[in-house]
Each structure stands twice: as C-alpha cells, then as structure tokens.
C-alpha cells in the first residue's frame, strides 16, 4: 500500500540528504582557505546535520508505517507525533543551546525564521493532524517542507556570517 504523497516525501528526503552533504562540503571552504573552524562553525554544522536527519526521518516515517498496513489516519498521526516532538525540542531550545556553546544567541532573523516560524509551523501541523481534519497528509508534508526551508534559510544566513569571520577566530575562554 503506497502512502499518499509518497513521491513527494521521497523527493524531499533525497533533497534533504543532498543538502546535508552540500552544507558540510561548504563548511570545508574555510579550512581549505587556511582558516581554523570556530566553535560557531562546528556548532552550526552539527545543528544543521541534526535537523536534517530529523527531517529526513520524518519524510520516511509515513511510508514505513504504510508497510504495516496502518490506517491512513494513524499513519499521519503517528508520523506527526514522532516528527513534531524532537523537532519542537530542537527548535525551541536552539537559542539556549547556541548561547551555551558560542556565548551568544542567534541573530534576530534566525530567531524569527528558525525558531518562531519553524516551531509555529511544527506545532500547527501537529495540532491539525491530531485533530483528524481532512488533508492531514498535505498538512504534514507542508509542515515538513516549511521546516526544511527554515533550516536552509538558517544555513544560508549562517554561511554568510561564517564567511565574514576573520581567518583566525579566537576561542572563547572555557566556562
């Protein structure tokens, strides 16, 4: 039994993994140019990889559940919960995790898109799907796609910040 939107989900999963590889490849530009990777560089690489793997798993969950012949409503509800809980945790704790590692919170644009928009979309998707309203598959996939593009936006902004750092970035003193 093929799950509704499977082709779109597989395409998203492929795009996400390609993006993960591309993002890591771009982060190798600084060391290739002779610069040391800063704490911010390493933190952002780890964050992007973590988000992308959660998103990729979320893209594959509905097809996995369909293999067990689950009813459509349970496929989307289970997928929504298993996607939204770790994603929301990552989204709402991002500012404090970043502050703990690099000593400062995210820039306002990152906070607005990565944290506020991303967590609002994830929470709205979860509420909608759990309510059993029509088009749960479409809402799940839309939420997944929007969350992915918030990560892409965050990465592009971060890449601009990283490329503006001096070649030698001093490490902050340990706490």
């Amino acid at each position: 039994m093929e799950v509704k939107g499977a082709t779109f989900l597989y395409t998203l999963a492929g795009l996400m993994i390609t993006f993960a590889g591309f993002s890591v490849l771009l982060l190798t530009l600084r060391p290739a140019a002779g610069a040391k990777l800063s704490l911010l560089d390493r933190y952002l690489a780890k964050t992007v990889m973590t988000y992308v793997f959660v998103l990729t798993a979320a893209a594959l969950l509905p097809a996995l559940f369909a293999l067990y012949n689950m009813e459509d409503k349970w496929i989307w509800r289970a997928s929504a919960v298993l996607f939204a809980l770790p994603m929301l945790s990552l989204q709402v704790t991002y500012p404090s995790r970043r502050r703990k590692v690099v000593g400062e919170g995210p820039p306002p644009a990152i906070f607005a898109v990565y944290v506020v928009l991303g967590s609002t979309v994830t929470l709205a998707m979860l509420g909608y799907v759990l309510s059993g309203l029509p088009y749960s598959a479409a809402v799940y996939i839309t939420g997944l796609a929007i969350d992915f593009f918030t990560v892409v936006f965050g990465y592009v902004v971060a890449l601009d910040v990283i490329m503006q750092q001096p070649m030698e970035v001093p490490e902050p003193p340990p706490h």
Side-chain angles (χ1 to χ4, degrees), residues 3 5 13 19 29 38 73 90 117 124 126 137 145 155 173:
V3 69
F19 172 74
L29 290 177
S38 69
K73 72 177 181 178
L90 289 169
L117 176 63
L126 178 63
Y155 177 77

Side-chain angles (χ1 to χ4, degrees), residues 38-106:
S38 69
L39 282 175
L40 179 61
D41 298 338
R42 292 187 296 259
Y43 175 73
L44 292 175
K46 179 182 175 187
T47 299
V48 166
M49 295 300 287
T50 302
Y51 274 60
V52 168
F53 285 122
V54 168
L55 290 164
T56 303
L60 298 174
L61 277 174
L64 177 66
F65 290 144
L67 291 173
Y68 291 97
N69 291 323
M70 289 176 71
E71 289 181 51
D72 272 1
K73 72 177 181 178
W74 293 112
I75 287 173
W76 299 110
R77 286 177 180 174
S79 296
V81 169
L82 291 174
F83 162 48
L85 294 180
M87 193 65 185
L88 280 168
S89 174
L90 289 169
Q91 290 164 326
V92 300
T93 63
Y94 175 75
S96 62
R97 288 183 292 114
R98 178 183 162 131
R99 196 172 293 105
K100 183 177 176 183
V101 173
V102 297
E104 61 183 22

